Structure formats: C-alpha cells, structure tokens
C-alpha cells in the first residue's frame, strides 16, 4: 500500500472512530471538509492534466439528511467544489453534480462521500428502496441552474485604475477601454476590447482579443491560457491579479 493510500486509510479509520464515540448531528462544515478531501483523493491524471470527479454523492442518516437537504447547503458545496478545483489546478469535465442520499440504517453523524466521473462504469445511479437522491439541478430548477455566488476576482495592482476590482462566477467577462466591457480600463495602452475571461471545464481562461499591445500572463505574452490563483495579468500599463475569493 502506497504512502498516500495508507494515510487515507488511517484518516478514514480515525474519523470513523471519533464518529462512533462522539456521534452528533452533521454540520455543513463537515460536508465541506469531506468534499475537499474526496476531490483530492479521487483526482486522476489524464494526458498531463489533473481531473477531479464531477459527481459527488453524500450519504448520511435520515435525520441529518432532513436537516441538510437545503438549497443553501447545496449551493455552498457546489461553490466550494468550483473554488477548490481552481486552487488545486484541477479540471472538472462535464456538468458538476452534488447529490444527497439518506440511509435509514445509518447512524447519526456518519457521512460517506462517493465521487465518480460521469460516464464511467462506477458512476451509475446508486438509488434503491432505502435511498433518496436530491440533485442540485432539481432543487434549483424553479430559479436558475447557474450558481449565484462569485468564485473569483481580478484586482488592479498597478496602473491608472489601481484598486479597481471585479468579482465574477462562470459568465464571460470582457476587459478594455470601451464602456460596454465588464471591466473598464482607463489605460490608453489598452484596446477598446482587449481581452476576455471565459469559464471552461470549471476553470477561468484568459483570452487576448487580437489586441495591439498584447495580453501578458506572469510576464509571457499569451493568446489564451488557463488562470491559476495568484496569476498576474498585464494589459498595457495595467497589472491585475486573479484570485479565488
């Protein structure tokens, strides 16, 4: 057994021991912590890229399920998964799904999170007569399926617009001097529409829009590039920092 697998094995056993000795209601922070650990544990490398699962199934006791099956908890977990992918330089392919299941025989405070990649043999429906699934999509279909909480921001740290700041989620944002842009620069060296940031595979991607003076990421001129937390974007005499919020 490799060192990482051994550490995961011990961690699960220790966590299980404390759950048995000190069983109590599950809290959202415990779901968040388990989601992060599961994402890291189940990631895999494909063609040089680290991929995180896009399907997460939280299995808990019925009383915990009844307390936690709220839209605000689902939204929290969804946004945590998006932010964690950026922080750890992971990609998530396909639609991100968060599911809640209840088990009548499960003890209070016991939580299992199973993760899989949609389309894989181990990602089939797990429901049975004792299990109910609630998906983010079904919870939100009366409103919008888009997450409402912003997950990243850019802030000007050098240039005429220093301290200008914009938070965003998964909608494309445009940067430049033109007033219709989402992030307007007064820098005369910037083009009218200089660059834009898209959201692809649950990561933000910076694109240059055939600008005259170019778009630079961490000192290198780019056409397009995936953003990571702490990256510096230079447009003309303006330097911006990209961060997860």
């Amino acid at each position: 057994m490799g060192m990482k697998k051994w550490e995961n094995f011990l961690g699960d056993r220790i966590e299980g021991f404390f759950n048995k000795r000190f069983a109590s209601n599950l809290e959202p922070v415990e779901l968040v912590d388990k989601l992060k650990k599961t994402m890291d544990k189940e990631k895999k490398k494909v063609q040089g890229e680290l991929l995180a699962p896009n399907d997460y199934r939280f299995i808990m006791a019925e009383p915990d399920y009844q307390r936690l099956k709220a839209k605000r908890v689902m939204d929290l977990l969804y946004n945590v998964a998006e932010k964690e992918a950026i922080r750890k330089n992971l990609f998530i392919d396909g639609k991100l799904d968060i599911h809640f299941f209840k088990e009548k025989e499960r003890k209070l405070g016991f939580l299992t999170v199973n993760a899989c990649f949609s389309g894989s043999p181990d990602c089939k429906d797990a429901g049975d007569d004792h299990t109910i699934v609630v998906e983010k999509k079904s919870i939100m279909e009366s409103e919008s399926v888009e997450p409402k909480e912003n997950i990243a921001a850019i802030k000007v740290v050098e240039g005429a617009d220093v301290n200008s700041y914009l938070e965003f989620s998964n909608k494309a944002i445009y940067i430049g001097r033109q007033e219709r842009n989402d992030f307007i620069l007064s820098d005369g060296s910037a083009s009218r529409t200089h660059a834009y940031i898209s959201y692809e595979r649950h990561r933000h991607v910076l694109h240059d829009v055939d600008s005259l003076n170019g778009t630079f990421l961490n000192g290198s001129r780019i056409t397009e590039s995936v953003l990571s937390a702490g990256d510096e974007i230079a447009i003309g005499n303006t330097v911006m920092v990209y961060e997860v919020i």
Side-chain angles (χ1 to χ4, degrees):
M1 182 182 293
M3 180 62 70
K4 184 175 181 181
K5 289 185 178 179
W6 176 247
E7 290 173 352
N8 289 333
F9 174 83
L10 286 177
D12 289 343
R13 293 302 177 277
I14 292 171
E15 186 175 4
F17 169 79
F18 279 101
N19 280 339
K20 289 176 184 177
R21 293 293 302 273
F22 308 107
S24 59
N25 292 337
L26 283 174
E27 298 298 335
V29 66
E30 297 174 79
L31 275 63
V32 167
D33 183 60
K34 194 71 171 179
L35 171 62
K36 290 179 178 180
K37 290 179 179 177
T38 302
M39 178 179 282
D40 189 54
K41 181 179 177 181
E42 300 298 330
K43 66 177 186 273
K44 64 181 181 180
K45 197 167 189 177
V46 179
Q47 296 181 344
E49 294 180 338
L50 284 174
L51 302 183
N54 64 335
D55 190 300
Y56 296 86
R57 303 171 182 204
F58 291 74
I59 306 168
M60 62 196 76
E62 188 163 357
D64 288 323
Y65 172 88
Q66 295 299 336
R67 285 188 308 102
L68 294 171
K69 62 168 186 176
K71 177 178 176 296
R72 61 177 180 81
V73 178
M74 303 293 282
D75 285 348
L76 170 65
L77 294 171
Y78 191 96
N79 281 283
V80 165
E82 290 184 311
K83 293 177 182 181
E84 196 70 2
I86 299 171
R87 289 192 179 103
K88 294 188 175 179
N89 276 319
L90 307 174
F91 292 91
I92 300 176
D93 286 332
K95 184 168 68 73
L96 175 61
D97 279 323
I98 304 290
H99 310 262
F100 277 10
F101 292 84
K102 64 181 179 180
E103 279 186 350
K104 291 182 179 178
E105 305 304 320
R106 183 172 288 257
K107 292 183 179 180
L108 187 70
F110 276 62
L111 174 67
T112 300
V113 180
N114 295 328
C116 58
F117 296 82
S118 60
S120 64
D122 61 342
C123 209
K124 295 179 180 179
D125 290 338
D128 56 38
D129 292 339
H130 304 290
T131 308
I132 294 177
V133 61
V134 176
E135 299 184 31
K136 180 180 177 64
K137 182 177 179 182
S138 64
I139 282 181
M140 297 186 70
E141 61 189 5
S142 62
E143 298 181 26
S144 169
V145 296
E146 301 289 347
K148 293 182 179 180
E149 182 181 333
N150 292 322
I151 59 176
I154 50 176
K155 181 179 180 180
V156 177
V157 294
E158 292 182 27
D161 302 298
V162 68
N163 292 329
S164 292
Y165 178 83
L166 178 68
E167 294 184 358
F168 48 96
S169 180
N170 57 6
K171 298 287 182 67
I173 64 164
Y174 289 82
I175 305 167
R177 291 186 293 107
Q178 197 166 350
E179 289 187 4
R180 69 181 183 182
N181 289 309
D182 302 281
F183 199 67
I184 303 169
L185 300 177
S186 57
D187 187 343
S189 299
S191 298
R192 289 168 61 81
T193 299
H194 195 107
Y196 72 96
I197 297 174
S198 63
Y199 194 64
E200 304 169 25
R201 303 173 69 199
H202 297 268
R203 294 292 299 275
H204 290 114
V205 183
L206 176 67
H207 305 258
D208 180 72
V209 188
D210 296 325
S211 63
L212 179 62
N213 294 319
T215 300
F216 294 79
L217 184 64
N218 300 323
S220 299
R221 187 165 183 166
I222 59 98
T223 300
E224 68 174 63
S225 185
V226 177
L227 291 169
S228 298
D231 277 350
E232 287 192 350
I233 303 166
I235 292 176
N237 297 312
T238 301
V239 178
M240 295 167 280
V241 174
Y242 167 83
E243 289 288 3
V244 180
I245 57 176

